[in-house]
Amino acid sequence: MLKKYTKLDSVLEKTGLQYMPIDMLNGYICAVICSSEMVPPSEWLPLVFFADEKMPDFSSIDETKRITSALLDVYNETITAMGTEDFGLLIADGEAKVSRTSLMRWCHGFALWFFGRYEKWTKNLSTEHLFTTLQILQIANVFLERIEHEKNIIPSFIRTKKQILEFCTELIIYIQDLFFFRLESAPKNIPPMLQESQKSAIPKWGRNQPCPCGSGKKFKKCCGAHTSEGD
């Protein structure tokens, strides 16, 4: 999973646009996947670039296809990982050491999707699920306070290295448990993974074909509306 995110980071960096760091993006995508209803890509993709309603204007159609493909690859890879024992969170800083700052960014990414969707997102959740969700939101709020007011605030339950590791373990259990809960309660609401044949077909999209973001519009009238044929 890390390789997909690292590759995506390289692709997004070349755009010169502002976008979520990969640890924040990992938290954001986990929240999207664990939503109570299926979320079409057209709804969650723009916020990766901190845009509200639509993807930013990229330099060309090829770049739009490349970025959309890389984001969907990461999304599907994350879903696949959630169903395995190897699932982990991208919360590390050098030599795979867990980082408090990275953990806080992860929680901020999770909260970015959660905010404004409270009623839908918390639908049918157990008390245990809600408790961990509130802890994530608390960390996210503290993270924003640290940035906006330059305060060195740290939640009491992640002050030591041991506490950070324990909370990260709790998060992994929480995300997987929530994922399977959603899967069992509403299997049709879990977005299907792209098959290899679909992945290989992504670069062949034409301007008159359906947009890969899932909006239902033609590519030329959606993500490709403000791009040119050339590089």
Side-chain angles (χ1 to χ4, degrees):
M1 185 169 70
L2 179 58
K3 289 183 179 179
K4 292 281 187 181
Y5 277 87
T6 302
K7 178 182 178 182
L8 174 63
D9 190 38
S10 177
V11 170
L12 296 180
E13 186 178 15
K14 293 176 182 177
T15 66
L17 298 171
Q18 184 182 14
Y19 63 91
M20 293 183 187
I22 59 173
D23 45 13
M24 184 183 294
L25 179 62
N26 184 231
Y28 175 72
I29 288 179
C30 284
V32 172
I33 292 172
C34 292
S35 297
S36 62
E37 299 176 356
M38 187 188 79
V39 182
S42 56
E43 287 188 23
W44 65 264
L45 284 174
L47 199 52
V48 172
F49 301 92
F50 303 105
D52 292 331
E53 297 181 355
K54 66 175 185 176
M55 293 279 273
D57 298 337
F58 299 113
S59 62
S60 68
I61 291 176
D62 284 343
E63 184 180 52
T64 303
K65 293 176 182 177
R66 185 165 56 252
I67 291 168
T68 304
S69 176
L71 282 165
L72 293 178
D73 274 351
V74 161
Y75 174 86
N76 290 313
E77 188 76 8
T78 305
I79 291 180
T80 301
M82 279 187 185
T84 71
E85 295 180 354
D86 297 327
F87 176 64
L89 307 177
L90 302 185
I91 304 172
D93 182 19
E95 298 181 0
K97 293 180 181 178
V98 173
S99 161
R100 182 189 291 115
T101 300
S102 188
L103 168 60
M104 296 178 83
R105 276 199 299 261
W106 189 97
C107 291
H108 180 46
F110 190 98
L112 280 175
W113 179 253
F114 180 90
F115 289 140
R117 300 170 178 83
Y118 176 83
E119 291 186 5
K120 279 189 175 182
W121 204 94
T122 56
K123 185 178 179 181
N124 299 325
L125 290 190
S126 66
T127 303
E128 291 182 1
H129 286 145
L130 286 174
F131 179 76
T132 306
T133 301
L134 290 174
Q135 284 186 307
I136 292 173
L137 298 181
Q138 181 183 346
I139 293 174
N141 284 331
V142 168
F143 180 70
L144 289 176
E145 282 285 310
R146 285 163 63 95
I147 293 176
E148 295 176 4
H149 303 290
E150 298 183 356
K151 294 180 179 179
N152 190 27
I153 311 169
I154 301 173
S156 60
F157 54 93
I158 57 167
R159 285 182 179 167
T160 68
K161 289 183 179 179
K162 182 180 179 181
Q163 285 178 317
I164 294 171
L165 287 171
E166 287 176 348
F167 186 70
C168 287
T169 300
E170 288 178 16
L171 273 183
I172 292 173
I173 295 171
Y174 160 77
I175 291 296
Q176 284 197 298
D177 185 55
L178 184 54
F179 171 70
F180 285 113
F181 170 76
R182 297 296 198 197
L183 189 64
E184 291 169 4
S185 61
K188 293 183 181 179
N189 286 344
I190 300 298
M193 271 83 72
L194 291 176
Q195 300 297 324
E196 288 303 316
S197 59
Q198 290 175 300
K199 290 181 183 178
S200 62
I202 287 175
K204 299 179 182 178
W205 287 322
R207 288 179 60 77
N208 290 313
Q209 289 181 289
C211 187
C213 77
S215 66
K217 300 178 182 179
K218 289 184 178 180
F219 181 71
K220 66 181 180 181
K221 292 185 178 181
C222 190
C223 292
H226 303 288
T227 56
S228 59
E229 292 286 353
D231 292 327

